[in-house]
């Protein structure tokens, strides 16, 4: 089985974000009984990437995995220290200038 795939998106040297298309391919091949190595070879990923992806959501579901990814991406980055009081103070100072 030949599966066309989209370009991988790398956010750092060690972490790869799989597209929803790739996750769907993993799900389909997994349901067909393909081994992790065969899925990896077919889609062009490392076996460890497939292993990680299949164990993120049990039983594996591409849509749930994508929701999990989106939730985790939303939690990334520095948390805001802007409180309502600080915001009000800044806005008042800006009005005065």
């Amino acid at each position: 089985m030949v599966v066309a795939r989209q370009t991988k998106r790398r956010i750092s040297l060690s972490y790869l974000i799989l597209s929803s298309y790739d996750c769907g391919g993993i799900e389909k091949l997994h349901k067909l009984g393909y081994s992790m190595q065969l899925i990896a070879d077919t889609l062009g990923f490392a076996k460890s990437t497939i292993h990680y992806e299949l164990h993120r959501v049990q039983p594996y579901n591409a849509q749930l995995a994508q929701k999990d990814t989106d939730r985790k991406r939303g939690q990334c980055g520095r948390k805001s220290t802007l409180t309502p009081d600080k915001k009000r103070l800044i806005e008042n100072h800006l009005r005065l200038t």
Side-chain angles (χ1 to χ4, degrees), residues 69-81:
T69 298
D70 294 341
R71 180 185 60 80
K72 288 178 180 176
R73 297 301 301 149
Q75 294 174 347
C76 288
R78 184 175 177 171
K79 306 302 180 227
S80 176
T81 60

Side-chain angles (χ1 to χ4, degrees), residues 63-97:
Q63 289 179 339
L64 291 177
Q66 189 62 45
K67 285 182 183 178
D68 182 56
T69 298
D70 294 341
R71 180 185 60 80
K72 288 178 180 176
R73 297 301 301 149
Q75 294 174 347
C76 288
R78 184 175 177 171
K79 306 302 180 227
S80 176
T81 60
L82 183 64
T83 63
D85 290 337
K86 286 182 183 178
K87 182 179 178 183
R88 205 173 309 111
L89 179 67
I90 292 169
E91 287 172 346
N92 287 338
H93 277 52
L94 288 174
R95 275 191 218 113
L96 294 173
T97 60

Side-chain angles (χ1 to χ4, degrees), residues 7-94:
T7 306
K8 302 175 193 177
R9 192 171 112 214
R10 230 176 243 292
I11 61 169
S12 73
L13 291 177
S14 63
Y15 188 71
L16 177 73
I17 295 180
L18 299 177
S19 69
S20 57
Y21 181 81
D22 293 328
C23 293
I26 291 170
E27 180 180 14
K28 184 171 185 173
L29 295 175
H30 182 65
K31 284 183 179 178
L32 290 173
Y34 282 47
S35 68
M36 282 189 256
Q37 186 62 59
L38 192 53
I39 295 171
D41 293 342
T42 303
L43 297 179
F45 294 107
K47 182 181 171 187
S48 60
T49 301
I50 303 302
H51 180 270
Y52 173 76
E53 187 65 23
L54 288 174
H55 287 86
R56 284 180 48 219
V57 180
Q58 293 292 329
Y60 188 74
N61 179 298
Q63 289 179 339
L64 291 177
Q66 189 62 45
K67 285 182 183 178
D68 182 56
T69 298
D70 294 341
R71 180 185 60 80
K72 288 178 180 176
R73 297 301 301 149
Q75 294 174 347
C76 288
R78 184 175 177 171
K79 306 302 180 227
S80 176
T81 60
L82 183 64
T83 63
D85 290 337
K86 286 182 183 178
K87 182 179 178 183
R88 205 173 309 111
L89 179 67
I90 292 169
E91 287 172 346
N92 287 338
H93 277 52
L94 288 174

